[in-house]
């Protein structure tokens, strides 16, 4: 190793020592060298990079064992001018943010909490369909993991009727330009029922619960970031509205009866799909309403 890397044996030993501190284990054989015996279940950037085939998204990876919120840290980095595609991943969040001011329960070392900084060249009026790229990417990732996901408007992904993934987009807008967008994704991977927030246990699920298998989180993260880049590229080439079209197609919502709850009102009607600005079109007894936020309850 020393001669191949052009460093001293002591330097090799020091590197291995550092890796041991991070949870790796090696077998040492005098005269023969070292053998990797154990790789910790961590989202270290170099572990994710093994599964990364992207040109931009995830090429800068910021890792934290614990963070307030990956979205909040990504937002701070974006304000400081970080590159497009920078990702923040964390083992746990102490103030994970959900939609509509909710919290996102984020136990340590079980799931994926990732936020990506994007700098799309699009006006604030056109940006909304960008929010679909995260659920589309999660949808493809979950399919690759062997489960049957379903999309729930606006940004959830379910498996067997239970939420497995939530996504949150946050924007920095200045006059008529989008300075940056933070795409945050929470994907439940190796969380057992007991690890779930008791209030949500009946409505949440994870890859482990669905398949009884543990998943390599860096691999899932690599697939997810690859998929995000693919959709982001499509949005750049074909326009943001293409994300709404793809989402509508995958979700199969057109013609379905829906009830969408907002703070002070419930919309009930037949979905006519997603319009070019990303709003849900609901036909309520012949009157078509554009709904841009809320919770689908039916
Ligand atoms: C929701 O369904 O309410 C959206 C949940 C989004 C959670 C993710 S976890 C990674 C990123 N950081 C956050 O604080 N929130 C998002």
């Amino acid at each position: 190793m020393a001669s191949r890397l052009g460093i001293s044996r002591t330097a090799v030993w020091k590197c291995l020592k550092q890796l041991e501190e991070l949870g790796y284990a090696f077998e040492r054989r005098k005269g023969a060298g070292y053998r990797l015996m154990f790789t910790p279940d961590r989202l270290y950037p170099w572990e994710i990079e093994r599964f990364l085939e992207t040109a931009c998204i995830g090429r800068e990876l910021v890792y934290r064992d614990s963070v307030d919120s990956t979205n909040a840290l990504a937002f701070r980095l974006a304000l400081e001018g970080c590159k497009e595609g920078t990702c923040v991943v964390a083992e746990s969040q102490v103030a994970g943010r959900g939609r509509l001011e909710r919290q996102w329960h984020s136990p340590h070392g079980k799931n994926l909490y990732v936020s990506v900084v994007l700098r799309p060249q699009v006006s604030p009026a056109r940006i909304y369909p960008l929010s679909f790229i995260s659920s589309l990417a999660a949808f493809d990732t979950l399919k690759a993991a062997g489960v049957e996901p379903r999309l729930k408007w606006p940004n959830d992904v379910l498996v067997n009727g239970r939420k497995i993934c939530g996504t949150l987009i946050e924007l920095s807008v200045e006059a008529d330009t989008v300075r940056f967008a933070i795409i945050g994704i929470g994907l439940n991977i190796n969380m057992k029922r007991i690890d779930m927030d008791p209030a949500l246990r009946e409505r949440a699920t994870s890859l482990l619960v669905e398949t009884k298998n543990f998943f390599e989180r860096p691999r899932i993260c690599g697939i997810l970031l690859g998929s995000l880049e693919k959709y982001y590229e499509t949005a750049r080439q074909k326009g943001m509205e293409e994300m709404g079209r793809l989402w509508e197609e995958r979700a199969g919502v057109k013609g379905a009866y829906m009830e969408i709850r907002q703070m002070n009102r419930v919309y009930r009607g037949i979905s006519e799909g997603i319009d070019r600005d990303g709003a849900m079109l609901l036909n309520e007894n012949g009157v078509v309403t554009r709904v841009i936020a809320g919770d689908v309850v039916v």
Side-chain angles (χ1 to χ4, degrees):
M1 274 163 88
S3 59
R4 219 192 275 174
L5 295 169
I7 55 176
S8 69
R9 283 174 181 217
T10 320
V12 171
W13 179 80
K14 275 189 186 155
C15 290
L16 294 179
K17 203 91 200 111
Q18 278 175 15
L19 286 167
E20 278 176 346
E21 274 159 27
L22 293 172
Y24 293 83
F26 301 92
E27 186 185 60
R28 287 185 170 79
R29 282 246 185 101
K30 251 201 156 154
Y34 301 92
R35 185 154 58 137
L36 178 63
M37 301 300 282
F38 179 77
T39 301
D41 175 19
R42 287 285 175 265
L43 289 162
Y44 295 137
W46 52 89
E47 295 293 346
I48 295 172
E49 275 156 17
R50 291 169 51 213
F51 304 104
L52 213 53
E53 289 176 356
T54 56
C56 164
I57 294 185
R59 287 292 150 197
E60 298 277 340
L61 277 162
V62 176
Y63 171 82
R64 293 284 184 276
D65 186 61
S66 177
V67 72
D68 48 354
S69 145
T70 55
N71 262 36
L73 176 53
F75 206 96
R76 295 194 288 272
L77 294 173
L79 285 174
E80 289 164 12
C82 74
K83 276 197 197 144
E84 178 166 65
T86 299
C87 288
V88 178
V89 287
E91 301 291 352
S92 68
Q93 301 182 115
V94 291
R97 308 209 278 240
R99 282 195 321 118
L100 310 170
E101 313 279 308
R102 292 174 189 139
Q103 287 184 354
W104 188 256
H105 179 63
S106 312
H108 187 272
K110 311 263 171 188
N111 300 321
L112 203 56
Y113 317 113
V114 54
S115 299
V116 184
V117 178
L118 297 179
R119 299 185 183 277
Q121 305 283 309
V122 61
S123 74
R126 292 263 93 91
I127 191 77
Y128 190 81
L130 181 71
S131 68
F132 293 126
I133 80 165
S134 41
S135 33
L136 284 167
F139 182 89
D140 289 0
T141 305
L142 288 163
K143 264 189 171 289
V147 293
E148 253 334 296
R150 269 195 44 222
L151 293 172
K152 182 180 173 216
W153 190 84
N155 299 125
D156 291 352
V157 190
L158 315 182
V159 172
N160 287 323
R162 293 187 158 125
K163 183 158 164 174
I164 195 162
C165 175
T167 70
L168 179 69
I169 179 165
E170 294 180 284
L171 301 173
S172 169
V173 173
E174 199 177 64
D176 55 356
T177 48
V178 172
R179 289 169 70 202
F180 57 82
I182 307 296
I183 307 264
I185 304 176
L187 182 58
N188 298 342
I189 301 185
N190 294 326
M191 181 157 75
K192 296 183 182 146
R193 283 225 166 280
I194 190 98
D195 304 317
M196 294 177 186
D197 180 346
L200 302 175
R201 222 166 259 167
E202 292 313 309
R203 285 180 281 142
T205 192
S206 70
L207 277 175
L208 173 64
V209 169
E210 292 302 319
T211 65
K212 316 267 179 293
N213 291 321
F214 278 94
F215 284 79
E216 263 182 291
R217 292 178 304 139
R219 181 190 296 275
I220 301 288
C221 188
I223 299 174
L224 180 69
L225 298 181
S227 193
L228 258 183
E229 184 163 286
K230 185 189 83 183
Y231 283 110
Y232 188 47
E233 207 37 55
T234 308
R236 275 212 282 226
Q237 281 169 19
K238 300 193 175 168
M240 281 298 159
E241 57 275 21
E242 179 66 6
M243 295 302 103
R245 206 195 58 71
L246 289 174
W247 187 93
E248 179 189 293
E249 191 181 282
R250 305 271 196 287
V253 283
K254 241 181 180 168
Y257 173 78
M258 288 180 122
E259 290 184 16
I260 300 178
R261 187 187 298 143
Q262 285 183 354
M263 287 272 265
N264 309 315
R265 103 154 261 204
V266 179
Y267 297 90
R268 296 183 175 86
I270 306 291
S271 167
E272 294 195 354
I274 303 293
D275 76 2
R276 68 184 306 260
D277 296 328
M280 175 66 80
L281 298 174
L282 264 199
N283 188 327
E284 299 182 287
N285 301 316
V287 180
V288 179
T289 313
R290 294 179 72 249
V291 189
I292 54 160
D295 279 322
V296 173
V297 284
V298 175

